Amino acid sequence: MSDLGGGGLEDEILEVLRALVQDIGAVSARITEHDEQRTGVPARTLALGGGEFLRVELGTRSSSDVPIEQAFEHVTRQLRAIRRRWEVARLPECVVGPGTAPTSDKVTDRIATYLKGLASIDRASNAFVTRAGKLVASANPADDVETSRWQFLARRTANTHAPGSSYGEIVDPDAYAMSFWYDCALIVFLAEPYGIDFVRHRCRQVARELANLLPMLEPDPDAPAAIRRRPPTLP
């Protein structure tokens, strides 16, 4: 199976399946060539139209915010779109379930992949994501000057609020920084002149993706009844 940091077909499928399992409280979700698998667990099997099936083993709880039928319709559309985009006749067999969560190294690699994409935009040279002032990942290794700079920007962002928002934003001639999720900052080093509206838009797009990955770096809660935290919505 592909490494999570590689951004391949299987990685994209696994992200979709993980989101489904989390949203509806399923036991597992898998892409399979067989429409009948007796496991003793209540399950739904959905045809994906390419000769393969999505089989979801249901848990004892479901999310009141995400109706199951709506979630199934959404995920089947996502998987069919992935098949068309990758131009494959059939999706590979993949499974998400107990014990299949990605390791922290793979999650960090995936975060770095998004940062590399951000650092490749016009006028950008490097990108960083921090949490509580500590580096989580970067697009490229930082030199001494960049290290000092991102640390300073992370502190400034934590203590600055954009007008009409609880989020911090820094617009400097050589950098753009914004806060998001819980105590996190996204920082991009840039060369003048750069388009602030474009950079802000791209950073918000990346921040939304990172907000889905960063919780995977947190340790599992000690209490069985711990409630999943819902990150705030970006402006």
Side-chain angles (χ1 to χ4, degrees), residues 146-208:
E146 287 182 328
T147 298
S148 176
R149 188 81 173 105
W150 72 249
Q151 291 174 342
F152 176 64
L153 287 167
R155 289 194 298 270
R156 284 181 62 196
T157 306
N159 295 301
T160 304
H161 297 298
S165 172
S166 60
Y167 286 92
E169 181 182 64
I170 302 294
V171 181
D172 280 357
D174 65 339
Y176 174 83
M178 61 172 285
S179 63
F180 71 105
W181 205 56
Y182 296 99
D183 301 321
C184 291
L186 182 59
I187 301 164
V188 188
F189 290 157
L190 299 138
E192 288 190 288
Y194 65 87
I196 180 57
D197 289 339
F198 173 72
V199 171
R200 180 185 289 120
H201 174 68
R202 289 290 289 115
C203 284
R204 287 180 177 178
Q205 286 182 318
V206 171
R208 289 188 178 96

Short mmCIF file of all heavy atoms in Angstrom, two decimals, residues 146-208:
data_model
loop_
_atom_site.label_atom_id
_atom_site.label_comp_id
_atom_site.label_asym_id
_atom_site.label_seq_id
_atom_site.Cartn_x
_atom_site.Cartn_y
_atom_site.Cartn_z
N GLU A 146 15.82 31.47 8.60
CA GLU A 146 14.40 31.08 8.48
C GLU A 146 13.87 30.56 9.81
O GLU A 146 12.72 30.83 10.18
CB GLU A 146 14.24 30.02 7.40
CG GLU A 146 14.39 30.54 5.98
CD GLU A 146 14.17 29.46 4.94
OE1 GLU A 146 14.49 28.29 5.23
OE2 GLU A 146 13.67 29.78 3.85
N THR A 147 14.70 29.81 10.54
CA THR A 147 14.27 29.28 11.84
C THR A 147 13.93 30.40 12.80
O THR A 147 12.89 30.39 13.48
CB THR A 147 15.35 28.38 12.44
OG1 THR A 147 15.57 27.26 11.58
CG2 THR A 147 14.93 27.87 13.82
N SER A 148 14.80 31.39 12.86
CA SER A 148 14.54 32.53 13.73
C SER A 148 13.29 33.29 13.28
O SER A 148 12.48 33.73 14.11
CB SER A 148 15.76 33.46 13.73
OG SER A 148 15.50 34.62 14.49
N ARG A 149 13.12 33.39 11.97
CA ARG A 149 12.00 34.17 11.42
C ARG A 149 10.67 33.48 11.68
O ARG A 149 9.70 34.12 12.08
CB ARG A 149 12.22 34.36 9.92
CG ARG A 149 11.21 35.31 9.27
CD ARG A 149 11.59 36.74 9.48
NE ARG A 149 10.71 37.62 8.70
CZ ARG A 149 9.74 38.35 9.23
NH1 ARG A 149 9.52 38.32 10.54
NH2 ARG A 149 9.00 39.14 8.48
N TRP A 150 10.58 32.14 11.45
CA TRP A 150 9.28 31.48 11.66
C TRP A 150 8.90 31.47 13.14
O TRP A 150 7.72 31.55 13.47
CB TRP A 150 9.22 30.09 11.03
CG TRP A 150 9.99 28.96 11.65
CD1 TRP A 150 11.08 28.31 11.14
CD2 TRP A 150 9.71 28.27 12.89
NE1 TRP A 150 11.50 27.30 11.97
CE2 TRP A 150 10.67 27.26 13.04
CE3 TRP A 150 8.74 28.43 13.87
CZ2 TRP A 150 10.70 26.40 14.15
CZ3 TRP A 150 8.76 27.58 14.98
CH2 TRP A 150 9.73 26.58 15.11
N GLN A 151 9.89 31.35 14.01
CA GLN A 151 9.58 31.39 15.44
C GLN A 151 8.98 32.74 15.83
O GLN A 151 8.02 32.81 16.59
CB GLN A 151 10.85 31.11 16.25
CG GLN A 151 11.34 29.67 16.12
CD GLN A 151 12.68 29.45 16.81
OE1 GLN A 151 13.41 30.40 17.09
NE2 GLN A 151 13.01 28.20 17.06
N PHE A 152 9.57 33.82 15.30
CA PHE A 152 9.08 35.16 15.58
C PHE A 152 7.67 35.36 15.01
O PHE A 152 6.78 35.89 15.68
CB PHE A 152 10.04 36.19 14.98
CG PHE A 152 9.59 37.61 15.12
CD1 PHE A 152 9.44 38.19 16.37
CD2 PHE A 152 9.32 38.37 14.00
CE1 PHE A 152 9.03 39.51 16.50
CE2 PHE A 152 8.91 39.69 14.12
CZ PHE A 152 8.76 40.26 15.37
N LEU A 153 7.45 34.90 13.77
CA LEU A 153 6.14 35.04 13.15
C LEU A 153 5.08 34.22 13.86
O LEU A 153 3.93 34.65 13.99
CB LEU A 153 6.22 34.63 11.67
CG LEU A 153 6.94 35.62 10.75
CD1 LEU A 153 7.25 34.99 9.41
CD2 LEU A 153 6.11 36.89 10.58
N ALA A 154 5.44 33.03 14.34
CA ALA A 154 4.48 32.20 15.07
C ALA A 154 4.02 32.90 16.34
O ALA A 154 2.84 32.88 16.69
CB ALA A 154 5.10 30.84 15.39
N ARG A 155 4.96 33.54 17.04
CA ARG A 155 4.60 34.27 18.26
C ARG A 155 3.71 35.47 17.93
O ARG A 155 2.72 35.73 18.61
CB ARG A 155 5.86 34.73 19.00
CG ARG A 155 6.65 33.62 19.65
CD ARG A 155 7.67 34.18 20.64
NE ARG A 155 8.66 35.02 19.98
CZ ARG A 155 9.80 34.58 19.46
NH1 ARG A 155 10.10 33.29 19.51
NH2 ARG A 155 10.65 35.42 18.90
N ARG A 156 4.07 36.20 16.88
CA ARG A 156 3.25 37.37 16.49
C ARG A 156 1.84 36.95 16.09
O ARG A 156 0.87 37.60 16.47
CB ARG A 156 3.92 38.09 15.32
CG ARG A 156 5.12 38.92 15.68
CD ARG A 156 5.68 39.60 14.44
NE ARG A 156 4.70 40.51 13.83
CZ ARG A 156 4.81 40.99 12.59
NH1 ARG A 156 5.83 40.62 11.81
NH2 ARG A 156 3.89 41.81 12.11
N THR A 157 1.74 35.86 15.33
CA THR A 157 0.43 35.42 14.87
C THR A 157 -0.46 35.02 16.03
O THR A 157 -1.67 35.29 16.01
CB THR A 157 0.59 34.23 13.90
OG1 THR A 157 1.47 34.60 12.84
CG2 THR A 157 -0.75 33.83 13.30
N ALA A 158 0.13 34.40 17.04
CA ALA A 158 -0.66 33.97 18.21
C ALA A 158 -1.22 35.15 18.99
O ALA A 158 -2.20 35.00 19.72
CB ALA A 158 0.20 33.11 19.12
N ASN A 159 -0.60 36.33 18.84
CA ASN A 159 -1.02 37.50 19.61
C ASN A 159 -1.65 38.58 18.74
O ASN A 159 -1.80 39.72 19.17
CB ASN A 159 0.19 38.09 20.34
CG ASN A 159 0.74 37.13 21.38
OD1 ASN A 159 0.04 36.73 22.30
ND2 ASN A 159 2.00 36.76 21.24
N THR A 160 -2.04 38.22 17.51
CA THR A 160 -2.64 39.18 16.59
C THR A 160 -3.96 38.63 16.07
O THR A 160 -4.06 37.44 15.77
CB THR A 160 -1.70 39.45 15.39
OG1 THR A 160 -0.44 39.88 15.89
CG2 THR A 160 -2.28 40.51 14.47
N HIS A 161 -4.96 39.48 15.96
CA HIS A 161 -6.25 39.07 15.43
C HIS A 161 -6.59 39.90 14.21
O HIS A 161 -6.45 41.12 14.21
CB HIS A 161 -7.36 39.22 16.48
CG HIS A 161 -7.16 38.34 17.68
ND1 HIS A 161 -7.13 36.97 17.59
CD2 HIS A 161 -6.97 38.64 18.98
CE1 HIS A 161 -6.94 36.46 18.80
NE2 HIS A 161 -6.83 37.45 19.66
N ALA A 162 -7.02 39.20 13.14
CA ALA A 162 -7.47 39.90 11.95
C ALA A 162 -8.76 40.65 12.27
O ALA A 162 -9.53 40.23 13.14
CB ALA A 162 -7.69 38.91 10.80
N PRO A 163 -9.03 41.77 11.59
CA PRO A 163 -10.26 42.54 11.87
C PRO A 163 -11.52 41.68 11.73
O PRO A 163 -11.71 40.99 10.74
CB PRO A 163 -10.22 43.63 10.79
CG PRO A 163 -8.77 43.79 10.45
CD PRO A 163 -8.19 42.40 10.57
N GLY A 164 -12.34 41.68 12.76
CA GLY A 164 -13.59 40.93 12.73
C GLY A 164 -13.43 39.43 12.81
O GLY A 164 -14.35 38.69 12.49
N SER A 165 -12.26 38.95 13.24
CA SER A 165 -12.01 37.50 13.29
C SER A 165 -11.23 37.16 14.54
O SER A 165 -10.49 37.99 15.08
CB SER A 165 -11.24 37.05 12.05
OG SER A 165 -10.83 35.70 12.16
N SER A 166 -11.39 35.93 15.01
CA SER A 166 -10.59 35.45 16.14
C SER A 166 -9.25 34.90 15.68
O SER A 166 -8.42 34.51 16.50
CB SER A 166 -11.36 34.36 16.89
OG SER A 166 -11.64 33.26 16.03
N TYR A 167 -9.05 34.86 14.36
CA TYR A 167 -7.80 34.34 13.82
C TYR A 167 -6.78 35.45 13.66
O TYR A 167 -7.12 36.60 13.37
CB TYR A 167 -8.04 33.67 12.46
CG TYR A 167 -8.72 32.34 12.56
CD1 TYR A 167 -10.11 32.25 12.50
CD2 TYR A 167 -7.99 31.18 12.75
CE1 TYR A 167 -10.75 31.04 12.62
CE2 TYR A 167 -8.62 29.96 12.87
CZ TYR A 167 -10.00 29.89 12.81
OH TYR A 167 -10.62 28.69 12.93
N GLY A 168 -5.52 35.09 13.82
CA GLY A 168 -4.44 36.03 13.63
C GLY A 168 -3.95 36.03 12.19
O GLY A 168 -4.00 34.99 11.52
N GLU A 169 -3.48 37.18 11.73
CA GLU A 169 -2.95 37.27 10.38
C GLU A 169 -1.82 38.29 10.37
O GLU A 169 -1.96 39.38 10.92
CB GLU A 169 -4.04 37.69 9.39
CG GLU A 169 -3.54 37.77 7.95
CD GLU A 169 -4.62 38.24 6.99
OE1 GLU A 169 -5.08 39.40 7.15
OE2 GLU A 169 -5.00 37.47 6.10
N ILE A 170 -0.71 37.92 9.75
CA ILE A 170 0.43 38.80 9.60
C ILE A 170 0.73 38.93 8.11
O ILE A 170 0.89 37.92 7.41
CB ILE A 170 1.69 38.25 10.32
CG1 ILE A 170 1.41 38.03 11.82
CG2 ILE A 170 2.88 39.17 10.11
CD1 ILE A 170 1.15 39.29 12.59
N VAL A 171 0.81 40.17 7.63
CA VAL A 171 1.17 40.43 6.24
C VAL A 171 2.43 41.28 6.25
O VAL A 171 2.38 42.49 6.52
CB VAL A 171 0.03 41.16 5.48
CG1 VAL A 171 0.44 41.39 4.03
CG2 VAL A 171 -1.26 40.35 5.55
N ASP A 172 3.57 40.65 6.00
CA ASP A 172 4.86 41.34 5.96
C ASP A 172 5.38 41.35 4.52
O ASP A 172 4.93 40.54 3.70
CB ASP A 172 5.86 40.63 6.88
CG ASP A 172 5.68 41.00 8.34
OD1 ASP A 172 4.82 41.86 8.63
OD2 ASP A 172 6.39 40.43 9.18
N PRO A 173 6.33 42.20 4.23
CA PRO A 173 6.89 42.21 2.87
C PRO A 173 7.52 40.89 2.45
O PRO A 173 7.53 40.56 1.26
CB PRO A 173 7.95 43.33 2.94
CG PRO A 173 7.50 44.21 4.06
CD PRO A 173 6.87 43.29 5.06
N ASP A 174 8.04 40.14 3.43
CA ASP A 174 8.74 38.89 3.09
C ASP A 174 8.01 37.64 3.57
O ASP A 174 8.53 36.53 3.46
CB ASP A 174 10.14 38.90 3.70
CG ASP A 174 10.12 38.90 5.22
OD1 ASP A 174 9.08 39.31 5.80
OD2 ASP A 174 11.12 38.50 5.84
N ALA A 175 6.80 37.79 4.12
CA ALA A 175 6.12 36.61 4.68
C ALA A 175 4.64 36.88 4.88
O ALA A 175 4.21 38.03 5.08
CB ALA A 175 6.76 36.20 6.01
N TYR A 176 3.87 35.80 4.85
CA TYR A 176 2.47 35.82 5.24
C TYR A 176 2.26 34.74 6.29
O TYR A 176 2.78 33.62 6.15
CB TYR A 176 1.55 35.57 4.04
CG TYR A 176 0.09 35.45 4.44
CD1 TYR A 176 -0.69 36.59 4.62
CD2 TYR A 176 -0.49 34.20 4.68
CE1 TYR A 176 -2.02 36.49 5.02
CE2 TYR A 176 -1.81 34.10 5.07
CZ TYR A 176 -2.57 35.24 5.25
OH TYR A 176 -3.88 35.14 5.65
N ALA A 177 1.53 35.05 7.35
CA ALA A 177 1.27 34.07 8.41
C ALA A 177 -0.17 34.20 8.87
O ALA A 177 -0.72 35.30 8.92
CB ALA A 177 2.23 34.27 9.58
N MET A 178 -0.77 33.07 9.21
CA MET A 178 -2.14 33.06 9.72
C MET A 178 -2.26 31.97 10.78
O MET A 178 -1.57 30.94 10.74
CB MET A 178 -3.15 32.80 8.60
CG MET A 178 -2.98 31.47 7.90
SD MET A 178 -4.32 31.10 6.74
CE MET A 178 -5.63 30.64 7.89
N SER A 179 -3.12 32.20 11.75
CA SER A 179 -3.41 31.18 12.75
C SER A 179 -4.63 30.40 12.31
O SER A 179 -5.48 30.89 11.57
CB SER A 179 -3.64 31.81 14.13
OG SER A 179 -4.77 32.66 14.11
N PHE A 180 -4.72 29.14 12.76
CA PHE A 180 -5.86 28.28 12.45
C PHE A 180 -5.88 27.13 13.44
O PHE A 180 -4.94 26.94 14.20
CB PHE A 180 -5.78 27.77 11.00
CG PHE A 180 -4.70 26.74 10.78
CD1 PHE A 180 -5.02 25.40 10.64
CD2 PHE A 180 -3.36 27.11 10.69
CE1 PHE A 180 -4.03 24.44 10.43
CE2 PHE A 180 -2.36 26.16 10.49
CZ PHE A 180 -2.70 24.82 10.35
N TRP A 181 -6.94 26.37 13.41
CA TRP A 181 -7.14 25.23 14.28
C TRP A 181 -6.80 25.60 15.72
O TRP A 181 -7.14 26.67 16.17
CB TRP A 181 -6.35 24.01 13.77
CG TRP A 181 -6.96 22.71 14.22
CD1 TRP A 181 -8.24 22.30 14.01
CD2 TRP A 181 -6.32 21.68 14.98
NE1 TRP A 181 -8.43 21.07 14.60
CE2 TRP A 181 -7.28 20.67 15.19
CE3 TRP A 181 -5.05 21.51 15.51
CZ2 TRP A 181 -7.00 19.51 15.90
CZ3 TRP A 181 -4.76 20.35 16.21
CH2 TRP A 181 -5.73 19.36 16.39
N TYR A 182 -6.16 24.74 16.50
CA TYR A 182 -5.87 25.01 17.90
C TYR A 182 -4.40 25.38 18.06
O TYR A 182 -3.52 24.51 17.98
CB TYR A 182 -6.20 23.79 18.77
CG TYR A 182 -7.66 23.43 18.77
CD1 TYR A 182 -8.15 22.40 17.96
CD2 TYR A 182 -8.57 24.12 19.56
CE1 TYR A 182 -9.50 22.07 17.97
CE2 TYR A 182 -9.91 23.79 19.57
CZ TYR A 182 -10.37 22.77 18.77
OH TYR A 182 -11.70 22.44 18.76
N ASP A 183 -4.12 26.66 18.26
CA ASP A 183 -2.76 27.16 18.50
C ASP A 183 -1.81 26.88 17.35
O ASP A 183 -0.60 26.78 17.55
CB ASP A 183 -2.17 26.55 19.79
CG ASP A 183 -3.01 26.85 21.01
OD1 ASP A 183 -3.51 27.98 21.10
OD2 ASP A 183 -3.16 25.96 21.87
N CYS A 184 -2.35 26.75 16.13
CA CYS A 184 -1.50 26.46 14.97
C CYS A 184 -1.31 27.72 14.13
O CYS A 184 -2.17 28.61 14.09
CB CYS A 184 -2.12 25.36 14.11
SG CYS A 184 -2.09 23.74 14.89
N ALA A 185 -0.18 27.77 13.45
CA ALA A 185 0.11 28.87 12.54
C ALA A 185 0.65 28.29 11.23
O ALA A 185 1.42 27.34 11.23
CB ALA A 185 1.14 29.82 13.14
N LEU A 186 0.22 28.91 10.13
CA LEU A 186 0.71 28.57 8.81
C LEU A 186 1.50 29.77 8.31
O LEU A 186 0.98 30.89 8.28
CB LEU A 186 -0.45 28.26 7.87
CG LEU A 186 -0.12 27.85 6.44
CD1 LEU A 186 0.75 26.60 6.41
CD2 LEU A 186 -1.39 27.63 5.63
N ILE A 187 2.76 29.54 7.95
CA ILE A 187 3.69 30.62 7.61
C ILE A 187 4.30 30.36 6.24
O ILE A 187 4.76 29.24 5.97
CB ILE A 187 4.81 30.73 8.68
CG1 ILE A 187 4.20 30.98 10.07
CG2 ILE A 187 5.81 31.81 8.31
CD1 ILE A 187 5.16 30.73 11.21
N VAL A 188 4.31 31.38 5.39
CA VAL A 188 4.90 31.27 4.06
C VAL A 188 5.89 32.41 3.87
O VAL A 188 5.55 33.58 4.09
CB VAL A 188 3.83 31.33 2.95
CG1 VAL A 188 4.47 31.02 1.60
CG2 VAL A 188 2.69 30.38 3.23
N PHE A 189 7.11 32.07 3.45
CA PHE A 189 8.10 33.09 3.12
C PHE A 189 7.95 33.45 1.65
O PHE A 189 7.85 32.56 0.79
CB PHE A 189 9.51 32.59 3.40
CG PHE A 189 9.82 32.44 4.87
CD1 PHE A 189 10.82 31.60 5.31
CD2 PHE A 189 9.11 33.17 5.82
CE1 PHE A 189 11.11 31.47 6.66
CE2 PHE A 189 9.37 33.05 7.17
CZ PHE A 189 10.38 32.21 7.60
N LEU A 190 7.94 34.74 1.36
CA LEU A 190 7.67 35.23 0.02
C LEU A 190 8.64 36.34 -0.37
O LEU A 190 9.26 36.97 0.49
CB LEU A 190 6.24 35.76 -0.07
CG LEU A 190 5.12 34.74 0.23
CD1 LEU A 190 4.05 35.38 1.08
CD2 LEU A 190 4.53 34.22 -1.07
N ALA A 191 8.74 36.57 -1.66
CA ALA A 191 9.52 37.68 -2.18
C ALA A 191 8.58 38.73 -2.75
O ALA A 191 7.54 38.40 -3.32
CB ALA A 191 10.49 37.19 -3.26
N GLU A 192 8.93 39.98 -2.58
CA GLU A 192 8.11 41.05 -3.13
C GLU A 192 8.29 41.14 -4.65
O GLU A 192 9.37 40.85 -5.15
CB GLU A 192 8.50 42.39 -2.51
CG GLU A 192 8.08 42.54 -1.06
CD GLU A 192 8.29 43.98 -0.59
OE1 GLU A 192 9.46 44.37 -0.40
OE2 GLU A 192 7.28 44.69 -0.43
N PRO A 193 7.26 41.57 -5.36
CA PRO A 193 5.89 41.80 -4.87
C PRO A 193 5.08 40.52 -4.97
O PRO A 193 5.28 39.72 -5.88
CB PRO A 193 5.37 42.85 -5.83
CG PRO A 193 6.06 42.52 -7.13
CD PRO A 193 7.42 42.00 -6.77
N TYR A 194 4.18 40.27 -4.03
CA TYR A 194 3.31 39.11 -4.11
C TYR A 194 1.86 39.55 -3.93
O TYR A 194 1.59 40.57 -3.31
CB TYR A 194 3.69 38.04 -3.08
CG TYR A 194 3.52 38.43 -1.63
CD1 TYR A 194 2.30 38.25 -0.98
CD2 TYR A 194 4.58 38.96 -0.89
CE1 TYR A 194 2.14 38.59 0.35
CE2 TYR A 194 4.43 39.30 0.44
CZ TYR A 194 3.21 39.12 1.06
OH TYR A 194 3.04 39.46 2.38
N GLY A 195 0.95 38.76 -4.49
CA GLY A 195 -0.47 39.09 -4.41
C GLY A 195 -1.06 38.59 -3.12
O GLY A 195 -1.24 37.36 -2.95
N ILE A 196 -1.38 39.48 -2.20
CA ILE A 196 -1.85 39.06 -0.89
C ILE A 196 -3.17 38.30 -0.96
O ILE A 196 -3.37 37.32 -0.24
CB ILE A 196 -1.99 40.28 0.06
CG1 ILE A 196 -2.48 39.82 1.44
CG2 ILE A 196 -2.89 41.33 -0.53
CD1 ILE A 196 -1.61 38.79 2.11
N ASP A 197 -4.07 38.71 -1.85
CA ASP A 197 -5.36 38.00 -1.94
C ASP A 197 -5.17 36.56 -2.38
O ASP A 197 -5.81 35.64 -1.84
CB ASP A 197 -6.30 38.72 -2.90
CG ASP A 197 -6.80 40.05 -2.35
OD1 ASP A 197 -6.76 40.22 -1.11
OD2 ASP A 197 -7.20 40.90 -3.15
N PHE A 198 -4.30 36.35 -3.35
CA PHE A 198 -4.03 34.99 -3.82
C PHE A 198 -3.36 34.16 -2.74
O PHE A 198 -3.74 33.01 -2.48
CB PHE A 198 -3.14 35.03 -5.07
CG PHE A 198 -2.67 33.68 -5.52
CD1 PHE A 198 -3.55 32.79 -6.13
CD2 PHE A 198 -1.35 33.29 -5.33
CE1 PHE A 198 -3.13 31.53 -6.54
CE2 PHE A 198 -0.92 32.03 -5.74
CZ PHE A 198 -1.81 31.15 -6.35
N VAL A 199 -2.35 34.73 -2.08
CA VAL A 199 -1.64 34.00 -1.03
C VAL A 199 -2.59 33.67 0.12
O VAL A 199 -2.59 32.55 0.65
CB VAL A 199 -0.44 34.82 -0.52
CG1 VAL A 199 0.17 34.17 0.72
CG2 VAL A 199 0.61 34.95 -1.62
N ARG A 200 -3.41 34.63 0.52
CA ARG A 200 -4.37 34.38 1.60
C ARG A 200 -5.33 33.25 1.23
O ARG A 200 -5.62 32.37 2.05
CB ARG A 200 -5.15 35.66 1.90
CG ARG A 200 -6.17 35.50 3.03
CD ARG A 200 -6.99 36.76 3.21
NE ARG A 200 -6.22 37.84 3.79
CZ ARG A 200 -6.01 39.01 3.19
NH1 ARG A 200 -6.50 39.23 1.97
NH2 ARG A 200 -5.32 39.96 3.80
N HIS A 201 -5.82 33.28 0.00
CA HIS A 201 -6.75 32.24 -0.47
C HIS A 201 -6.09 30.86 -0.45
O HIS A 201 -6.68 29.89 0.05
CB HIS A 201 -7.22 32.58 -1.89
CG HIS A 201 -8.05 31.50 -2.53
ND1 HIS A 201 -9.32 31.18 -2.09
CD2 HIS A 201 -7.78 30.66 -3.57
CE1 HIS A 201 -9.81 30.20 -2.83
NE2 HIS A 201 -8.90 29.87 -3.73
N ARG A 202 -4.86 30.77 -0.96
CA ARG A 202 -4.17 29.47 -0.99
C ARG A 202 -3.87 28.98 0.42
O ARG A 202 -3.99 27.79 0.71
CB ARG A 202 -2.87 29.59 -1.79
CG ARG A 202 -3.09 29.75 -3.28
CD ARG A 202 -3.62 28.47 -3.93
NE ARG A 202 -2.57 27.43 -3.96
CZ ARG A 202 -2.63 26.29 -3.30
NH1 ARG A 202 -3.67 26.00 -2.54
NH2 ARG A 202 -1.66 25.42 -3.39
N CYS A 203 -3.51 29.89 1.30
CA CYS A 203 -3.21 29.48 2.68
C CYS A 203 -4.45 28.95 3.38
O CYS A 203 -4.39 27.98 4.13
CB CYS A 203 -2.60 30.65 3.46
SG CYS A 203 -0.88 30.99 3.05
N ARG A 204 -5.59 29.58 3.15
CA ARG A 204 -6.82 29.10 3.77
C ARG A 204 -7.20 27.73 3.23
O ARG A 204 -7.69 26.87 3.98
CB ARG A 204 -7.94 30.11 3.52
CG ARG A 204 -7.80 31.38 4.34
CD ARG A 204 -8.93 32.35 4.06
NE ARG A 204 -8.82 33.54 4.91
CZ ARG A 204 -9.64 34.58 4.86
NH1 ARG A 204 -10.65 34.58 4.00
NH2 ARG A 204 -9.48 35.61 5.66
N GLN A 205 -6.98 27.50 1.93
CA GLN A 205 -7.25 26.18 1.37
C GLN A 205 -6.38 25.12 2.05
O GLN A 205 -6.87 24.05 2.43
CB GLN A 205 -6.97 26.18 -0.14
CG GLN A 205 -8.01 26.90 -0.97
CD GLN A 205 -7.69 26.82 -2.45
OE1 GLN A 205 -6.54 26.97 -2.86
NE2 GLN A 205 -8.71 26.57 -3.26
N VAL A 206 -5.09 25.41 2.17
CA VAL A 206 -4.17 24.45 2.79
C VAL A 206 -4.50 24.26 4.26
O VAL A 206 -4.47 23.14 4.79
CB VAL A 206 -2.71 24.92 2.61
CG1 VAL A 206 -1.75 24.06 3.43
CG2 VAL A 206 -2.32 24.87 1.13
N ALA A 207 -4.84 25.34 4.95
CA ALA A 207 -5.17 25.24 6.38
C ALA A 207 -6.36 24.31 6.61
O ALA A 207 -6.38 23.57 7.60
CB ALA A 207 -5.45 26.63 6.95
N ARG A 208 -7.34 24.35 5.72
CA ARG A 208 -8.50 23.45 5.87
C ARG A 208 -8.07 21.99 5.76
O ARG A 208 -8.58 21.13 6.48
CB ARG A 208 -9.55 23.79 4.81
CG ARG A 208 -10.26 25.11 5.07
CD ARG A 208 -11.42 25.31 4.12
NE ARG A 208 -12.12 26.56 4.39
CZ ARG A 208 -11.89 27.69 3.75
NH1 ARG A 208 -11.02 27.73 2.76
NH2 ARG A 208 -12.55 28.78 4.06
#
